[in-house]
Amino acid sequence: MANHKVIIDANKSVLSLDLKELFSYKDLFYTLAQRDFKVKYAQTFLGFAWAFIQPFMTLIVFALVFSRGLRLNTGEIPYILFAACGLAAWTYFSSVMNQAGNSIIGSQGMVQKIYFPRLIIPLSKALVGLIDFFIALLIIFLLLIFYQYAPSPNIIFLPFFILMAVIAALGVGIWLSALTIRYRDFQQIVPFLVRFGMFFTPVAYPASIFADRIPNWALIIYYLNPIAGVIDGFRWTVLGTDPPNILSYVSFFVVILLFISSLFYFKKVERTIADII
């Protein structure tokens, strides 16, 4: 039997992310993700079918409110397709943000009993969310076939925007998971962000409707939303809409800044998690 030795160095710098140690716990990462996925649809009558039903019903509501009710014009692109692209990216972002935000509190029994890099817990939520995200992508491609709408040649850039969605979700999720440990108010704030954040994100409407209606400084604030630029890029790659505007780069910068800063802040508080939780 192989001998495994775990060395916990209290003098390790908080600026050291120790990616090698993180990688050595990859089996735990997959186990946590697999557990979360099984729990998500366990003991439900329709089981995995909910992964299809939830986005489908949301799209119907969007179509009734924004397309039929408000008569939102999306040009030659069928509204359902337009909304499905925004919904796929937003659902992934909000799901990972919500689950990662409460992940450490929800795993306090394991955190208090054994040693492992705590960052594994919020990171595993991103993998679980990807399963639902790829189901949403499948729905989009079925809709493309149904509407006989050819995907844009820009689709070769889709992996980049999927990666940006993952980084954006993890950046916010890791920050929230670290803050929630000390400030439990964030357990109430996160559902609020998910519920109202969708209306301040170009999910059901194009961000371009604000271009001539609000001043530039307000548009910059709008694009501080890390997922706003990602959704613009997502639609550009799949549907061939206008390419992400210059303000989308504000959004991309926020994504990178949130992700890097979240890793270092989490590393800073990681040593005291077991004592506080």
Side-chain angles (χ1 to χ4, degrees), residues 55-69 79-80:
F56 182 71
M57 296 303 292
T58 307
L59 285 175
I60 290 176
V61 173
F62 278 179
L64 290 174
V65 174
F66 291 95
S67 182
R68 293 293 180 89
Y79 177 79
I80 289 284

Side-chain angles (χ1 to χ4, degrees), residues 32-249:
L32 290 175
Q34 188 179 34
R35 181 203 63 179
D36 288 345
F37 182 71
K38 288 181 177 177
V39 168
K40 186 172 184 179
Y41 298 109
Q43 297 182 344
T44 60
F45 181 72
L46 296 178
F48 191 62
W50 282 112
F52 291 88
I53 294 171
Q54 289 176 341
F56 182 71
M57 296 303 292
T58 307
L59 285 175
I60 290 176
V61 173
F62 278 179
L64 290 174
V65 174
F66 291 95
S67 182
R68 293 293 180 89
L70 300 178
R71 299 193 179 282
L72 189 69
N73 183 14
T74 54
E76 297 179 353
I77 302 171
Y79 177 79
I80 289 284
L81 255 179
F82 182 88
C85 286
L87 186 64
W90 169 257
T91 302
Y92 175 77
F93 174 78
S94 60
S95 171
V96 174
M97 178 177 72
N98 190 28
Q99 293 181 33
N102 294 306
S103 60
I104 300 295
I105 299 293
S107 304
Q108 55 182 304
M110 187 170 66
V111 168
Q112 290 172 328
K113 291 176 182 173
I114 57 175
Y115 173 79
F116 64 94
R118 310 316 192 202
L119 191 58
I120 289 283
I121 299 175
L123 287 179
S124 67
K125 307 302 178 186
L127 186 60
V128 180
L130 276 178
I131 297 172
D132 287 338
F133 181 72
F134 285 119
I135 290 172
L137 280 183
L138 175 63
I139 292 173
I140 290 171
F141 283 102
L142 290 175
L143 288 171
L144 285 169
I145 295 170
F146 178 78
Y147 285 108
Q148 297 183 333
Y149 191 95
S152 164
N154 306 324
I155 204 163
I156 58 173
F157 296 103
L158 182 61
F160 170 77
F161 287 100
I162 292 176
L163 178 64
M164 289 297 286
V166 172
I167 295 174
L170 279 176
V172 178
I174 294 171
W175 259 111
L176 289 171
S177 67
L179 290 169
T180 304
I181 297 164
R182 188 177 293 275
Y183 309 104
R184 302 296 172 97
D185 296 278
F186 279 95
Q187 287 183 295
Q188 308 301 322
I189 293 174
V190 172
F192 177 82
L193 289 175
V194 172
R195 194 174 303 124
F196 291 97
M198 187 171 67
F199 297 105
F200 295 96
T201 304
V203 177
Y205 57 84
S208 57
I209 64 171
F210 294 124
D212 299 325
R213 301 181 183 182
I214 60 176
N216 282 337
W217 63 265
L219 268 178
I220 293 173
I221 292 176
Y222 183 80
Y223 273 97
L224 288 177
N225 179 344
I227 199 66
V230 176
I231 290 178
D232 281 353
F234 198 71
R235 286 197 177 110
W236 172 67
T237 58
V238 178
L239 303 176
T241 56
D242 292 336
N245 61 41
I246 191 69
L247 289 178
S248 293
Y249 292 93

Side-chain angles (χ1 to χ4, degrees), residues 251-268:
S251 192
F252 300 153
F253 175 75
V254 172
V255 170
I256 302 299
L257 182 65
L258 277 174
F259 182 66
I260 294 174
S261 61
S262 69
L263 291 176
F264 285 107
Y265 181 74
F266 191 95
K267 200 67 183 176
K268 181 181 177 182

